[in-house]
Amino acid sequence: MSHMILTCRNILKRAGGFKESRCMMSQLGDMGEGAGKGGGAGGAIRSAGGAFGKREAAQEEEYFYKKQKEQLNKLKNAVKEEISFHEEQIKRHQEALSKAKAKLTEE
């Protein structure tokens, strides 16, 4: 019996934080080898098992792998944008500090 616990983290860009979702899959045997014990067969092809069931399971895994990779790329881009924003803010604050210090030394 194999148990898989898939944990996915979706960080919503500018939507206020973290959202964690967990989904658990439990089945007997290998993926695509027929119906699992979760109460549902998972479709006619999957419940039949064999090569088509394995192919469907592999396609499903590939789909979720690509989705997770896409989400990770979006997250990385969002973090890069946030870093750029904060670096620009630091630059502006440093300029303001320099001007304020210059005014103090003039007096």
Side-chain angles (χ1 to χ4, degrees):
M1 175 174 10
S2 67
H3 294 280
M4 293 178 59
I5 299 175
L6 303 176
T7 303
C8 310
R9 286 187 188 249
N10 300 326
I11 300 183
L12 304 173
K13 182 178 178 183
R14 310 260 191 251
F18 297 92
K19 178 184 176 186
E20 183 175 335
S21 61
R22 291 178 185 248
C23 52
M24 299 178 78
M25 294 171 42
S26 178
Q27 61 188 31
L28 295 173
D30 293 327
M31 291 190 67
E33 287 292 326
K37 67 176 186 175
I45 293 174
R46 179 107 18 119
S47 64
F52 286 114
K54 288 180 183 179
R55 181 171 182 248
E56 183 181 359
Q59 287 176 337
E60 185 177 319
E61 288 296 312
E62 181 180 6
Y63 170 80
F64 285 111
Y65 174 79
K66 286 180 180 179
K67 273 294 199 190
Q68 189 176 23
K69 194 171 182 180
E70 180 182 308
Q71 290 172 344
L72 184 60
N73 286 333
K74 285 182 182 179
L75 174 62
K76 286 180 180 180
N77 290 335
V79 170
K80 286 178 184 177
E81 288 178 16
E82 192 172 347
I83 288 170
S84 296
F85 172 77
H86 289 299
E87 286 175 342
E88 185 64 33
Q89 290 293 317
I90 289 170
K91 182 180 172 184
R92 289 182 185 166
H93 287 293
Q94 287 174 338
E95 289 172 359
L97 281 171
S98 297
K99 288 179 184 179
K101 286 179 182 180
K103 285 181 183 179
L104 283 176
T105 57
E106 289 176 3
E107 296 175 0

